[in-house]
């Protein structure tokens, strides 16, 4: 949580600093909640929430810093009732206004789509797995799409699908080490499907997304 708080604070301060230099930029805060789908063993649970700050420097391109958390739980034999992991992610991503590229405004004026891709850092903490209680630290690569629905100049509804590739992962999502050699790494993956809101900041409102 301290890492997430530090990221959000840094992004907000960066937004203020950038906003002093350019009057036509667009800044927005995003928050979402939804479904996480793990890799091995597969688990699908409504336990993913996240947030971030997006900066669009022109009508087509922008930058987003975001954080997310997903929890995965599995039934376990007595005396332990369940095992699992708490998965946390920090990422910095390039954002492209795909709706402008596809000229969606010519067909419908209140729906837009963003594409995003980037990389960052993830850490996964096992729950109720004493033999493997060490936190698993790894890099991440993320890409996805964010459909948007216009509500007002200051607000839009968004849905998001993202796929995350975990680099140098050691544990499966039930918290157990996959290989007996604890140093052996593998490439893991997971998906998220979330719904949330975008709040537009500053004098320009949502111009970059919807003008």
């Amino acid at each position: 949580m301290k890492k997430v708080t530090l990221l959000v604070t840094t992004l907000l301060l960066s937004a203020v600093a950038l906003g002093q230099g350019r009057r036509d930029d667009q800044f927005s805060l995003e928050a979402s909640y939804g479904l996480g789908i793990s890799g091995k063993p597969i688990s699908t649970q409504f336990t993913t929430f996240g947030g971030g700050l997006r900066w669009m420097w022109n009508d087509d391109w922008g930058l987003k810093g975001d954080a997310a958390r997903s929890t995965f739980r599995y039934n376990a034999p007595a005396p332990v009732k369940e095992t699992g992991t708490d998965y946390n992610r920090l990422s910095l991503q390039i954002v492209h206004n795909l709706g402008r590229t596809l000229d969606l405004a010519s067909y419908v004026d209140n729906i837009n789509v963003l594409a995003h891709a980037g990389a960052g850092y993830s850490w996964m903490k096992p729950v109720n797995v004493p033999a493997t209680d060490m936190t698993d630290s790894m890099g991440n690569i993320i890409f996805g799409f964010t459909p948007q629905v216009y509500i007002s100049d200051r607000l839009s509804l968004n849905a998001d699908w993202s796929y995350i590739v975990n680099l140098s992962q050691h544990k499966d999502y039930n918290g157990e080490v996959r290989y007996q050699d604890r140093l052996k790494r593998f490439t893991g993956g997971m998906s998220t499907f979330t719904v949330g809101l975008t709040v537009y900041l500053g004098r320009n409102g949502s111009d970059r997304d919807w003008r």
Side-chain angles (χ1 to χ4, degrees), residues 6-176:
L6 179 60
L7 175 69
V8 173
T9 301
T10 302
L11 290 171
L12 287 173
L13 291 175
S14 299
V16 172
L18 289 167
Q20 297 297 322
R22 299 187 54 162
R23 300 172 63 88
D24 58 345
D25 291 348
Q26 173 188 289
F27 297 92
S28 59
L29 290 174
E30 302 175 356
S32 61
Y33 173 80
L35 191 68
I37 302 176
S38 71
K40 297 181 180 179
I42 295 175
S43 175
T44 302
Q45 298 176 353
F46 281 96
T47 56
T48 295
F49 63 91
L53 175 67
R54 178 162 57 95
W55 164 45
M56 300 296 291
W57 64 75
N58 62 33
D59 288 347
D60 297 304
W61 295 98
L63 189 67
K64 176 171 76 170
D66 69 317
R69 177 183 177 90
S70 299
T71 61
F72 300 105
R73 298 293 184 266
Y74 305 82
N75 293 330
V80 178
K81 293 183 178 180
E82 63 178 12
T83 60
T85 52
D86 295 332
Y87 176 91
N88 301 276
R89 174 185 61 80
L90 301 174
S91 301
L92 185 64
Q93 304 184 60
I94 291 290
V95 180
H96 176 58
N97 193 334
L98 189 60
R100 291 195 186 278
T101 301
L102 299 176
D103 196 24
L104 286 182
S106 297
Y107 306 96
V108 58
D109 60 3
N110 63 343
I111 295 178
N112 192 40
V113 180
L114 305 176
H116 57 88
Y121 169 74
S122 299
W123 65 102
M124 188 166 64
K125 177 69 175 178
V127 176
N128 295 332
V129 190
T132 60
D133 60 356
M134 184 177 65
T135 299
D136 199 359
S137 299
M138 63 204 94
N140 68 64
I141 297 173
I142 181 172
F143 58 90
F145 298 94
T146 308
Q148 302 171 290
V149 178
Y150 179 87
I151 298 176
S152 74
D153 288 342
R154 295 294 177 182
L155 192 66
S156 67
L157 177 68
N158 64 71
D160 182 83
W161 169 82
S162 293
Y163 187 78
I164 301 103
V165 178
N166 295 315
L167 306 175
S168 299
Q169 188 171 335
H170 297 83
K171 300 179 178 67
D172 286 322
Y173 293 92
N174 61 0
E176 297 180 358

